[in-house]
Amino acid sequence: MRPGIKTWVSEDVFEKMQVSVWIVNDIRVNAFAKRYEGKNYIVLTIGLCVAFWKEVEEFIGNKNFGKVFHLSEEKEDSYKKELYRFMLNFIIAHEFGHIAHGHVLTNSEDNFIEELYADEATNKDNWLTQLREYDADYYAAMLNTAITLGYWKEDWKVLSATFDLLFLSFYLCFDVFAKNSNRDFSNYQEKDIESYDHPYPGIRMYYCSLAICDLLIRVKGDNELTRELISSGFDAMISYEKRALGKEKYRDSYFSIAGTKKGAMHTRALVNGWNELVDEYNRYSYVTIYKNDNVESLSYFLGEDGEFLRQGV
């Protein structure tokens, strides 16, 4: 993967970025982007690499895995490795996004951005940090989707398996983040969204899934095939939680928060809030940052107690 990142931007831009990927001997689950003496660094801890691999093994090793997915024993090893590679690719692309979009260049005090251990209590710029996390997530999701589109085959079984893998890799990444972050999201519904320095993991999962849909439709068109691929990806995540993990209620999933009124408002605020910053960050970015369309309203379908409803904000 380290040689692979050279393909994520043009050769001259990559030369300017002076970016490299490092693994550090730290058992904490963490990743960060850092600028130091004119060079950029993407750093993953051993703890994160191990946590990702354990997540993959627990996912495929679940006793009910076969109720949801058909995976032959001889293909199990290669599937684990592919899923693990997708997950690592996402977090590396996320940190790469922080660098490529100038998040570590805006001022001299802000040249270090980490994933899991920032202190929200002392961070005066929580909302700004959330907006940059949203941008880095979206960048990584679009990049991973673009890579996946490179594997396109005119075979439904291959296509659905490939895009299911993409959706599931995001799901497992954010599950690791949800389990290992030092942030307490348990009272999310009561707290102000700007009190957090990272968006709720379920909201991150939601807008990254939308990024898959966005690029897939833009490249391959809005048609029956792309709709079926998107449906299959969402179904893979939901079916695993229901049939393998035994979660009977959608609200039992950590990413169900995106379906609540507060989650919808939070997502809308992230999209529109980042759009307001794009022009500023384009002054520091190595590549052109493009705005997404502003979100005027966003549907939600869950009440705070998990009851289903149909509303919009």
Side-chain angles (χ1 to χ4, degrees):
M1 283 185 292
R2 279 196 264 202
I5 67 173
K6 293 179 181 179
T7 68
W8 295 354
V9 289
S10 65
E11 191 173 335
D12 61 322
V13 169
F14 188 78
E15 186 66 30
K16 288 177 186 174
M17 289 178 72
Q18 290 289 294
V19 63
S20 55
V21 181
W22 295 75
I23 309 294
V24 297
N25 191 17
D26 185 340
I27 62 170
R28 294 182 303 168
V29 178
N30 205 9
F32 57 86
K34 181 175 178 63
R35 182 171 176 81
Y36 180 69
E37 294 186 347
K39 293 184 178 181
N40 293 298
Y41 299 89
I42 293 169
V43 181
L44 312 184
T45 64
I46 287 288
L48 177 67
C49 297
V50 170
F52 274 6
W53 184 250
K54 284 177 66 177
E55 183 83 0
V56 168
E57 290 204 306
E58 288 172 10
F59 171 68
I60 295 175
N62 185 293
K63 64 181 181 180
N64 295 318
F65 181 85
K67 292 181 179 179
V68 188
F69 306 105
H70 302 290
L71 182 65
S72 62
E73 193 173 331
E74 59 268 22
K75 291 184 178 178
E76 191 173 295
D77 253 9
S78 61
Y79 189 80
K80 282 182 180 179
K81 290 174 183 175
E82 193 72 356
L83 190 51
Y84 184 60
R85 184 175 71 84
F86 270 54
M87 292 169 69
L88 286 176
N89 219 56
F90 177 83
I91 190 62
I92 291 172
H94 172 96
E95 304 305 335
F96 190 88
H98 278 312
I99 295 167
H101 282 186
H103 300 173
V104 295
L105 281 174
T106 49
N107 63 59
S108 58
E109 297 176 358
D110 205 17
N111 62 358
F112 176 78
I113 299 176
E114 64 177 329
E115 182 61 39
L116 291 165
Y117 282 94
D119 185 358
E120 294 172 318
T122 60
N123 188 351
K124 297 178 181 178
D125 297 317
N126 277 344
W127 184 241
L128 174 60
T129 305
Q130 273 202 63
L131 293 173
R132 291 188 301 211
E133 289 302 314
Y134 158 76
D135 179 52
D137 280 340
Y138 211 86
Y139 179 96
M142 294 289 270
L143 183 60
N144 274 29
T145 305
I147 292 169
T148 305
L149 283 165
Y151 300 138
W152 189 271
K153 304 285 185 185
E154 296 300 329
D155 180 312
W156 165 250
K157 285 187 177 180
V158 174
L159 278 176
S160 61
T162 303
F163 278 89
D164 284 358
L165 186 74
L166 180 63
F167 275 93
L168 289 167
S169 68
F170 291 1
Y171 164 75
L172 295 177
C173 277
F174 288 116
D175 193 45
V176 170
F177 298 160
K179 292 171 181 173
N180 292 278
S181 173
N182 69 331
R183 298 167 184 87
D184 179 12
F185 288 105
S186 60
N187 56 349
Y188 172 81
Q189 291 288 0
E190 289 75 44
K191 287 181 72 175
D192 189 286
I193 59 173
E194 296 189 17
S195 63
Y196 298 100
D197 72 335
H198 278 53
Y200 191 99
I203 289 174
R204 297 175 71 180
M205 175 69 230
Y206 174 65
Y207 62 62
C208 284
S209 298
L210 294 184
I212 298 176
C213 304
D214 180 21
L215 191 57
L216 181 58
I217 289 171
R218 267 199 266 166
V219 174
K220 294 297 180 179
D222 186 359
N223 52 57
E224 187 176 350
L225 176 60
T226 53
R227 286 171 180 262
E228 286 180 357
L229 287 175
I230 290 166
S231 177
S232 177
F234 280 108
D235 185 59
M237 296 184 293
I238 294 168
S239 294
Y240 181 77
E241 292 217 324
K242 285 176 65 177
R243 297 164 66 187
L245 300 182
K247 295 182 179 180
E248 296 184 4
K249 302 284 188 181
Y250 182 72
R251 69 183 180 204
D252 295 336
S253 168
Y254 72 86
F255 61 79
S256 67
I257 201 74
T260 65
K261 181 178 181 179
K262 186 168 186 179
M265 294 175 69
H266 194 164
T267 303
R268 184 180 68 178
L270 287 166
V271 176
N272 296 346
W274 176 251
N275 282 342
E276 292 175 6
L277 296 179
V278 166
D279 291 339
E280 171 68 14
Y281 276 85
N282 266 323
R283 295 170 51 199
Y284 304 97
S285 179
Y286 290 99
V287 295
T288 303
I289 308 172
Y290 297 99
K291 297 179 182 180
N292 286 320
D293 292 337
N294 265 25
V295 177
E296 301 303 327
S297 65
L298 195 62
S299 295
Y300 63 94
F301 53 88
L302 282 181
E304 290 185 22
D305 296 325
E307 73 277 17
F308 277 92
L309 38 88
R310 285 279 172 199
Q311 300 290 341
V313 292

